[in-house]
Amino acid sequence: MKFGKSICVLNVGGTRYAFTREVIRDFPLRRVSRLHACATEKEVLELCDDYDRDQNEFFFDRHAQAFVFIMLYVRSGKLRFVPGVCELSFYTEMLYWGLESAHLDSCCQKRLDDRMSDIGLDSLSEGDVVLSGDEPQSPEETAPRTALTGRAKWLEKVRKTFEEPNSSLAAQILASVSVIFVIISMIMLCASTLPDWDTAKRQTVEEHSLSSHGSPEEAIFYIRIVEAVCIGWFTAECTVRFLVARDKWDFIRHPLNIIDVIAITPYYVTMAMAGAGMPGAGLGVAGVILRVLRMMRVFWLMKLARHFLGLQTLGLTLRRCYREMVMLMVFVCVAMAIYSALAQLLEHGLDVDSPNNDYASIPAAAWWVIISMTTVGYGDVYPVTIGGRVLGGMCVVSGIVLLALPITFIYHSFVQCYHELKLRSARYARDLSEEMLQ
């Protein structure tokens, strides 16, 4: 810093911090360290909100409590969220001072990721926070920056068109086309499980009523054409979304994107196997693999989660309530282990003369326990002894209680997720309406 006193004072939201010039020069916060290179008061005011030349005091109209925790990071190297402050607000303060999410502790990083995911925000960048003083100083530097900003805006617009069905009219049209292709692909999948057309052709016309539907070879040909068109659409959609994604690694890790790849890949594997001379469905192991890959196309239905609020709510609820789901599974598994052991003993172990063979082992009894606890009761396995029937009644009652305990938490989380996604959808609809009226 080429002017002012040797002691610099930072006034952040009314809290004052005094440092020497040497400390300011090597300060870990980029916005503060850049003050040392300022030669004029104009350059200083591009980095802070106000400047007192007499006191050499720099004023920052920022969150004072958040800066306290940021200063703790400067001193100790550990950065955590301020209690009671929104994670996104604190993250905005971090970006303002020149920090990133990588500076947060791992637990706080997870909280930030969950929060951003809950509101449908992939990431924040330094560009989301106005950093005065970052503007280029020459026209030669300004031109590339302007072109890059225009390209970034175009990529963001394309990304929202593919990722947010309610963000614009084009996004709604694209989502509708995608839903149509999903429905068509499911119809084709169902049609592919019908009896073989060659076998149907050898049967009598009265049995299969094929006389008015053309030859089976033509039907199979058209099914393959439609299937290829659907796969082509899904492949192009997934490729474009990958190319315009902000973070390619986060895109690859996203569950819905993984499902897209799982749904698309089997078609190309099937084509590769057919090209290698294994096109038939009855070629032993190869035929089994082909049938399994063909059935994996049912994952296309998961693509509907991008376009329907109900499926999005279900997915978000399951993600938020995974602890409750694990707790429910633990309850069921513990009860199943106890009741299956007792049922095997009462129905098979104690009655040596005429044991109930349906309870010959604990794993066999576990099937009866799980269908009893869930009150399904198929009737294929049932106790015949008095002790076994008493145990069955206890199993049913305890199953109702154990299943009902975590349901309250899951229900409230479902309602909260539904309202959040509904408000988000309404916000997009309002923005779309304003866009169409302009």
Side-chain angles (χ1 to χ4, degrees):
M1 193 175 300
K2 301 178 182 178
F3 61 93
K5 302 179 181 179
S6 60
I7 299 298
C8 305
V9 179
L10 304 181
N11 191 321
V12 182
T15 305
R16 303 171 79 245
Y17 304 85
F19 304 97
T20 63
R21 288 187 180 182
E22 290 73 17
V23 173
I24 292 293
R25 180 188 59 194
D26 301 325
F27 211 77
L29 303 181
R30 183 159 52 91
R31 178 173 286 269
V32 177
S33 63
R34 288 169 59 189
L35 292 172
H36 186 273
C38 294
T40 64
E41 186 172 342
K42 180 180 179 182
E43 294 179 359
V44 172
L45 293 176
E46 289 176 347
L47 294 172
C48 62
D49 297 303
D50 200 0
Y51 173 65
D52 186 347
R53 189 180 184 89
D54 296 333
Q55 300 295 329
N56 201 27
E57 186 170 357
F58 305 88
F59 295 89
F60 297 89
D61 189 14
R62 307 301 298 185
H63 198 291
Q65 188 178 5
F67 190 74
V68 170
F69 276 70
I70 292 176
M71 287 299 299
L72 290 176
Y73 163 74
V74 172
R75 295 170 182 172
S76 63
K78 294 183 178 181
L79 181 60
R80 297 186 177 91
F81 285 129
V82 181
V85 176
C86 174
E87 292 86 352
L88 295 181
S89 298
F90 185 76
Y91 186 39
T92 303
E93 294 294 320
M94 291 170 49
L95 294 175
Y96 177 84
W97 294 108
L99 299 177
E100 300 177 355
S101 60
H103 295 94
L104 286 166
D105 282 2
S106 57
C107 58
C108 293
Q109 285 188 27
K110 186 177 184 305
R111 282 177 55 190
L112 178 63
D113 293 339
D114 293 342
R115 178 60 177 164
M116 296 174 71
S117 177
D118 291 344
I119 65 173
L121 191 63
D122 293 335
S123 64
L124 286 175
S125 62
E126 192 174 348
D128 296 321
V129 183
V130 179
L131 294 178
S132 56
D134 287 348
E135 295 80 10
Q137 301 299 318
S138 64
E140 291 79 7
E141 294 176 343
T142 304
R145 178 69 62 85
T146 304
L148 181 61
T149 303
R151 180 175 179 271
K153 289 182 178 180
W154 180 81
L155 289 175
E156 181 65 17
K157 185 176 181 179
V158 175
R159 189 196 67 81
K160 282 190 175 182
T161 302
F162 279 86
E163 296 287 352
E164 301 291 346
N166 296 319
S167 61
S168 64
L169 182 60
Q172 289 184 348
I173 296 175
L174 193 68
S176 300
V177 174
S178 182
V179 170
I180 292 173
F181 274 107
V182 170
I183 295 174
I184 293 176
S185 64
M186 287 298 99
I187 294 175
M188 294 299 102
L189 177 62
C190 296
S192 66
T193 60
L194 294 174
D196 187 76
W197 288 100
D198 293 332
T199 304
K201 187 177 180 180
R202 291 192 294 267
Q203 299 292 333
T204 61
V205 176
E206 292 77 14
E207 287 179 346
H208 296 276
S209 302
L210 293 174
S211 59
S212 61
H213 298 280
S215 64
E217 292 81 0
E218 293 179 359
I220 294 175
F221 174 77
Y222 290 128
I223 288 176
R224 289 176 178 174
I225 292 296
V226 174
E227 182 182 20
V229 172
C230 293
I231 290 292
W233 170 266
F234 296 145
T235 304
E237 181 186 19
C238 188
T239 303
V240 172
R241 290 176 46 249
F242 174 77
L243 293 176
V244 301
R246 295 196 189 105
D247 191 321
K248 302 297 189 292
W249 178 241
D250 288 342
F251 179 88
I252 294 174
R253 293 186 303 171
H254 197 278
L256 286 180
N257 298 328
I258 296 175
I259 291 173
D260 285 346
V261 174
I262 292 176
I264 294 172
T265 303
Y267 177 81
Y268 295 103
V269 175
T270 303
M271 293 295 101
M273 294 180 67
M278 296 182 295
L283 299 177
V285 177
V288 173
I289 294 175
L290 286 173
R291 287 192 290 270
V292 171
L293 293 176
R294 191 179 296 118
M295 285 301 106
M296 288 179 67
R297 287 180 292 175
V298 75
F299 285 107
W300 282 336
L301 285 174
M302 298 300 296
K303 293 173 67 66
L304 297 177
R306 300 183 187 278
H307 314 298
F308 290 98
L309 184 63
L311 292 176
Q312 294 175 11
T313 306
L314 177 61
L316 184 57
T317 303
L318 293 178
R319 185 170 60 184
R320 289 186 178 180
C321 298
Y322 72 93
R323 292 185 180 87
E324 287 77 10
M325 299 297 294
V326 171
M327 181 173 60
L328 177 61
M329 293 298 104
V330 171
F331 288 168
V332 172
C333 290
V334 170
M336 188 166 59
I338 295 174
Y339 283 118
S340 59
L342 294 176
Q344 193 275 338
L345 177 65
L346 294 174
E347 292 293 318
H348 189 273
L350 297 181
D351 195 346
V352 181
D353 298 329
S354 57
N356 190 344
N357 293 325
D358 291 334
Y359 298 83
S361 64
I362 291 180
W367 166 251
W368 168 78
V369 172
I370 190 63
I371 63 175
S372 298
M373 291 184 65
T374 55
T375 66
V376 176
Y378 291 119
D380 55 342
V381 179
Y382 54 90
V384 294
T385 64
I386 296 177
R389 291 176 177 177
V390 173
L391 181 68
M394 296 173 58
C395 180
V396 172
V397 174
S398 61
I400 295 175
V401 174
L402 291 178
L403 292 176
L405 288 177
I407 293 299
T408 303
F409 300 100
I410 299 175
Y411 167 75
H412 287 298
S413 179
F414 181 86
V415 173
Q416 182 181 3
C417 293
Y418 176 75
H419 285 303
E420 290 180 5
L421 293 176
K422 191 174 181 180
L423 291 174
R424 176 185 169 190
S425 178
R427 184 175 67 252
Y428 279 126
R430 183 174 63 253
D431 295 340
L432 178 60
S433 300
E434 294 176 355
E435 178 183 344
M436 295 179 65
L437 291 175
Q438 290 178 355

